[in-house]
Amino acid sequence: MITLTRGAFLLLVIGFLAITTAVLVKVFQPYDLIFKWKLIMSEGGEIFNLWALPPVDLYIKIYLFNITNAEAFLAGRERLKVEQVGPYVYKEIMTHKNVTFNKNNTMSSTPSHPLVWQEEMSGSRHEDDEVIMLNIAMLAISHLTANHPFLVRMALKTLLASTKSEPIVRTTVKEFMFGYPSALATLGNTFLPNWISFEKVGLIDRMYDFTTDYETFYTGVPDPALSGLYATYRGEKTLPQWEGQHCSNIEYASDGTKFKSFIQPNETVKFFRKSMCRPINLYRVGDEKTYGRLKGYNYVFEDNAFDNGVNNEANKCFCRKGDCQPVGLIDVTDCYYGFPISLSFPHFMNGDLGLQQNVTGMHPDPAKHSSVFVIQPESGLPLSLSVKVQINMHFKDLRNYQAVSKFSHLTAPMLWFEIMMPRLPDSLDSRFNFYLNILPMVNPLGFWSALLLGVSLLSYAICKATLHMSSYGRQSAKISEGNNARVNLLQKLKNSGDAAANQVYSPCEVNLIVDRSKQQPVIVRSFGDDSVFQQVHRNSGYALDMEPALSDAAESSDDGHNYDIPLSRNLKTSTTLLTDVCTECFHNSPLKADSGNECLPSTAVFDRLATSLVSSVFSSSPSSIQSSRSRESAASSNPTKDWVQYIHPDRSDAKIIQDH
C-alpha cells in the first residue's frame, strides 16, 4: 500500500513538473532567448567575430565605358559614343579594425576594404588593358571654376595649355581606377590644399578611401535586433551633405555585413555605404526563396530612389543646394572631393530618357542592372547580395572653356560596379542552418513532449491510485464484515441458552475446515471387524462449499491471512463431541481406531464425530437434518450395516483409503 502510494505520488509530481515545463516553454520560448543572446555583440563572441572579419566571398565587378569616338565628339560631329568593357573583378576584404566597446552599448571601429585582383574571374581581361576615358582632373577643375571671375579662368586656361591636358585620355584600366600621376592633381594639391589632399586621381581609389572614417555600431543591448547596425558615422547620426532626416539619417542602417534582425513582412530596412553617399531604403518583394540550406526574401531599392522629389516628395532633400538633377541621378559631389560626380543605376536605368539619348551605347536591362539583397529576416543575415551603381560626371555650362565646351549639360558615364556576394560559404551555411532551421525545433518539440509526458504521467498516476484505493476499500469492507460476523456469532454463543439450537465450531474443528492451503480429510464411518477409519482427500474448497457460512467468511478474508472466525453449523448436534478430537493428529497420516494414538478417543467417539461431519452437508434444510438423524439411528440399531460414503458432485475425484 505504501509503496504503491509513493509510486503514484512520484508520478504525479513528475507529471506536474512536465506540464509546468511545457507552459514555461510556451511562455518564454527558449529558442528565442538563446538566439537573441547569440545576436548580441561581445568581445570574442561568435557573431562579433563574424562581423569584425566576415568569412565571406565579397567581390566588386567593374565595367568601364570606353569612349570610341573621341575625335568626332570633341569636334562636335557626333554624340558621345561608348562601349562597355569588363568585368574587372576584385575581391573585397571587408574588415572592422580597432574595435572599441563603449559604455553606451556601442562599439567603434575604423573600416578597411582592401581589394585583391581576381584574374580568373576577370577572364581574358587584364589590369593593363588600354581604354579611352575622361580626364577626371581636367574636367573637375574646369567644372569647379566655370563660373569664377575671368582672371581665375584665364590662369586655368594657361595652366591647361602648358600641361597639354586633354579632356579625353588614353590610359590603362588600373590607372584609371586606382590613379595615375597628373600635373593638374599635383598643382591642385600644392595650390589648393583644402580641395584635394592627393596627387593622383583614381575613381575606385577614392571610393575605397576609408583613412579618415570612423564608425560606431550598436552591440544589441538592450535590443538584439539592432546589433551590428550604424549608430553614427564620423561621430554623427546624420550626413552633413543632406538636409532632413529622410536623406541624412544613417542610424540603424546596415553596411551590408548584417541587417536588422526579426524583420517584419511590411518593414523596410536601411542600407548605407560610403560609395553611395546616402542611406537608401530596401523593401521586400516576391516569395521566400532558398539559398543553400537557408531561406530568405529579396529586398530591392525603394521605388523612385533617384527621382529627386519628382515622384516622391520626400526625396526633394537630395537636391544639392536646391539644384535638382534629372530623374535618375543623385548629386554626390560632396562625397567625391568636389568632383561633379552623380550616381545612377547602370545604363541610366529608370532615369530620364534624355540621359540615354545624349549618349550612344546605353542599353538598360532590369534583369542585368537591378540590385537585390537576399536577407534572412530572423537573423538579418545576407544570404546573397548584388548592389549595382553607376558613376557619372554631370556637367553644367562649360562654354567658358573651349577645350571642354562639348561636355556642357552632359552626363557622361564612366563606369558601373557591382558589389556582390554570390552565396554564403559552406561553413556559414551549415552553422546558420543549425541556428535557423534545426535549433528552432526546440520550442515545439519541448512543448509537446513535456505536455504529452505530463498528461500521460498524471493520467496513469490517477488511474493507478484510484484502482488501488478501490481495491483496498473493498478488502477493508470485507475484513470489517468478517470481524463483525465473528463478534456477532460469539455474542450469540455467549447469550444462547439452548446449546443445541445455536452452536459454533471449536477452534480445532475450524482449523480442519478453513485451512485451504492443505488437502483436508473427510472421515466416514465403516463398521467392519477391525473398525477401520477411512481417510478421503479432496480440494481445499470442499468444506467451504458444504457450509455456506464458511464460504462467506472465506471471501471476506485478505490474501495470505487466516481468521479464526467461529462459524455456526445450524445443526442439532453437540459441539462437545468435536472438541474431543484434535484434527492436527490426522492431517497428514491415515487414522486407525484403537491404534494407540494418544490423541484419538475411542471408536465410539469417532463414530459420533464422523456422523456429525457428514450430517453437516445437509444442514441447510430440516429435511437433511432429519435424514441424518435417521441414518444415525439405523446405524445404532444395526451395527453390521456400513455407512454409505458421500461424495460431493464437484469432488468426484476424491480417493478413499481403507485399512482392513
Side-chain angles (χ1 to χ4, degrees):
M1 172 64 184
I2 296 177
T3 302
L4 291 175
T5 303
R6 287 179 177 174
F9 177 75
L10 182 60
L11 292 177
L12 284 173
V13 171
I14 296 175
F16 277 119
L17 289 177
I19 291 178
T20 302
T21 301
V23 173
L24 293 176
V25 169
K26 191 69 174 179
V27 172
F28 293 103
Q29 300 293 314
Y31 165 73
D32 293 345
L33 296 178
I34 295 172
F35 190 69
K36 289 179 180 179
W37 170 70
K38 294 290 287 184
L39 287 175
I40 296 175
M41 300 281 186
S42 59
E43 189 169 6
E46 181 180 14
I47 299 300
F48 169 77
N49 291 334
L50 294 177
W51 171 84
L53 183 60
V56 298
D57 297 324
L58 187 65
Y59 301 97
I60 179 171
K61 293 182 176 181
I62 303 171
Y63 299 85
L64 303 180
F65 289 109
N66 180 53
I67 299 174
T68 60
N69 65 338
E71 292 183 5
F73 169 73
L74 293 176
R77 297 192 303 268
E78 297 177 359
R79 292 181 299 176
L80 184 65
K81 183 183 295 185
V82 298
E83 65 175 359
Q84 175 180 295
V85 294
Y88 298 92
V89 184
Y90 295 85
K91 184 174 183 178
E92 180 178 334
I93 312 299
M94 184 178 183
T95 58
H96 298 89
K97 293 184 175 180
N98 305 318
V99 180
T100 302
F101 284 88
N102 306 315
K103 294 182 179 179
N104 61 347
N105 296 321
T106 62
M107 50 188 179
S108 301
S109 70
T110 55
S112 176
H113 301 256
L115 300 178
V116 180
W117 168 250
Q118 302 294 301
E119 185 172 0
E120 292 183 359
M121 297 182 68
S122 300
S124 59
R125 292 163 288 276
H126 302 86
E127 288 184 298
D128 56 0
D129 291 345
E130 286 191 349
V131 290
I132 299 175
M133 305 295 295
L134 298 180
N135 187 336
I136 298 176
M138 178 182 178
L139 291 171
I141 293 175
S142 299
H143 183 271
L144 184 63
T145 60
N147 295 323
H148 278 50
F150 175 77
L151 292 178
V152 174
R153 288 187 277 111
M154 284 300 297
L156 182 58
K157 288 180 181 179
T158 303
L159 179 61
L160 294 176
S162 62
T163 58
K164 299 181 180 180
S165 297
E166 296 290 336
I168 298 177
V169 296
R170 181 181 295 271
T171 183
T172 65
V173 169
K174 185 176 182 179
E175 288 175 342
F176 179 78
M177 292 190 297
F178 295 98
Y180 56 91
S182 170
L184 291 178
T186 301
L187 290 173
N189 182 39
T190 302
F191 297 103
L192 299 172
N194 294 330
W195 176 39
I196 57 176
S197 58
F198 44 87
E199 296 183 357
K200 59 181 182 179
V201 178
L203 208 54
I204 300 299
D205 180 68
R206 294 297 90 203
M207 189 174 75
Y208 274 83
D209 178 23
F210 296 94
T211 54
T212 60
D213 290 1
Y214 57 95
E215 306 165 330
T216 303
F217 299 87
Y218 288 109
T219 61
V221 178
D223 187 357
L226 303 180
S227 66
L229 302 185
Y230 273 106
T232 63
Y233 175 71
R234 291 184 176 177
E236 299 292 337
K237 294 183 179 181
T238 57
L239 300 176
Q241 60 268 24
W242 310 116
E243 296 179 358
Q245 291 293 312
H246 175 73
C247 294
S248 65
N249 192 304
I250 54 89
E251 187 180 21
Y252 308 130
S254 169
D255 64 352
T257 307
K258 177 191 172 297
F259 290 86
K260 184 179 183 294
S261 302
F262 311 112
I263 307 172
Q264 300 303 311
N266 296 325
E267 185 178 6
T268 61
V269 295
K270 193 183 295 185
F271 175 70
F272 170 71
R273 192 174 174 98
K274 176 184 177 179
S275 58
M276 296 188 65
C277 196
R278 58 161 286 182
I280 188 168
N281 291 324
L282 310 175
Y283 66 95
R284 181 187 296 186
V285 295
D287 299 326
E288 188 178 55
K289 295 183 178 181
T290 300
Y291 288 80
R293 283 173 283 187
L294 303 176
K295 295 181 179 180
Y297 291 90
N298 286 351
Y299 285 79
V300 299
F301 291 146
E302 60 184 336
D303 293 336
N304 307 311
F306 295 156
D307 73 343
N308 297 314
V310 174
N311 299 306
N312 184 0
E313 185 67 22
N315 288 333
K316 195 95 175 162
C317 54
F318 287 118
C319 295
R320 181 172 176 266
K321 298 180 179 180
D323 182 15
C324 295
Q325 295 186 355
V327 173
L329 298 179
I330 178 174
D331 191 345
V332 293
T333 299
D334 294 325
C335 295
Y336 285 85
Y337 312 99
F339 296 171
I341 302 296
S342 294
L343 302 182
S344 69
F345 293 127
H347 291 255
F348 298 121
M349 184 181 68
N350 300 333
D352 188 281
L353 291 179
L355 298 174
Q356 302 176 26
Q357 293 173 354
N358 291 334
V359 179
T360 302
M362 295 291 98
H363 306 287
D365 184 351
K368 296 179 180 179
H369 303 139
S370 296
S371 298
V372 61
F373 300 75
V374 182
I375 303 174
Q376 206 285 326
E378 282 75 27
S379 63
L381 178 71
L383 307 182
S384 174
L385 60 85
S386 175
V387 184
K388 300 171 183 177
V389 177
Q390 181 171 299
I391 301 178
N392 315 282
M393 294 192 77
H394 179 74
F395 303 106
K396 296 180 181 179
D397 189 356
L398 296 178
R399 287 177 296 178
N400 288 329
Y401 294 107
Q402 183 62 34
V404 297
S405 61
K406 297 298 185 288
F407 290 93
S408 294
H409 305 292
L410 177 68
T411 302
M414 293 186 290
L415 63 83
W416 70 272
F417 62 86
E418 176 188 9
I419 299 175
M420 59 165 294
M421 182 185 72
R423 64 183 186 88
L424 289 177
D426 292 338
S427 58
L428 278 185
D429 185 71
S430 299
R431 184 185 305 185
F432 280 93
N433 176 57
F434 173 75
Y435 291 150
L436 299 172
N437 296 333
I438 299 176
L439 199 58
M441 297 175 66
V442 168
N443 284 349
L445 286 179
F447 172 75
W448 288 111
S449 298
L451 182 63
L452 292 176
L453 177 63
V455 171
S456 300
L457 290 178
L458 285 179
S459 301
Y460 178 75
I462 292 173
C463 291
K464 185 176 181 180
T466 302
L467 292 175
H468 183 69
M469 294 302 294
S470 176
S471 175
Y472 179 72
R474 287 195 301 270
Q475 293 176 6
S476 299
K478 289 180 180 180
I479 293 173
S480 178
E481 290 175 0
N483 291 335
N484 291 336
R486 177 180 180 181
V487 172
N488 292 337
L489 290 174
L490 289 174
Q491 187 65 31
K492 288 181 181 180
L493 179 61
K494 180 179 180 181
N495 298 332
S496 175
D498 187 359
N502 189 7
Q503 298 181 16
V504 295
Y505 292 110
S506 67
C508 187
E509 186 179 354
V510 169
N511 287 335
L512 172 65
I513 297 173
V514 303
D515 189 358
R516 303 176 65 180
S517 64
K518 300 178 180 180
Q519 296 291 335
Q520 303 297 332
V522 175
I523 308 301
V524 297
R525 183 178 180 185
S526 175
F527 290 94
D529 295 338
D530 52 1
S531 300
V532 179
F533 285 94
Q534 300 178 359
Q535 179 182 16
V536 179
H537 291 277
R538 60 181 178 84
N539 292 333
S540 61
Y542 179 44
L544 296 180
D545 294 337
M546 299 299 299
E547 178 57 42
L550 295 177
S551 298
D552 294 338
E555 290 178 358
S556 65
S557 64
D558 200 1
D559 295 342
H561 296 81
N562 293 326
Y563 299 95
D564 296 333
I565 303 175
L567 304 171
S568 174
R569 292 187 189 200
N570 244 351
L571 299 174
K572 296 297 183 179
T573 57
S574 175
T575 60
T576 58
L577 296 175
L578 297 174
T579 58
D580 294 335
V581 181
C582 179
T583 59
E584 293 178 356
C585 297
F586 50 85
H587 272 177
N588 300 317
S589 61
L591 302 178
K592 298 180 181 180
D594 303 327
S595 61
N597 192 324
E598 62 182 3
C599 188
L600 294 177
S602 63
T603 303
V605 175
F606 260 113
D607 291 344
R608 296 176 63 186
L609 174 59
T611 301
S612 176
L613 290 173
V614 173
S615 65
S616 67
V617 177
F618 306 97
S619 64
S620 60
S621 64
S623 60
S624 65
I625 299 173
Q626 184 62 35
S627 176
S628 176
R629 288 177 178 174
S630 299
R631 288 192 297 270
E632 185 178 357
S633 299
S636 300
S637 61
N638 188 10
T640 61
K641 184 177 179 180
D642 291 345
W643 283 91
V644 179
Q645 178 188 359
Y646 173 79
I647 301 177
H648 191 276
D650 295 335
R651 303 294 186 267
S652 59
D653 58 344
K655 297 180 181 179
I656 302 174
I657 302 175
Q658 289 184 339
D659 286 339
H660 297 285

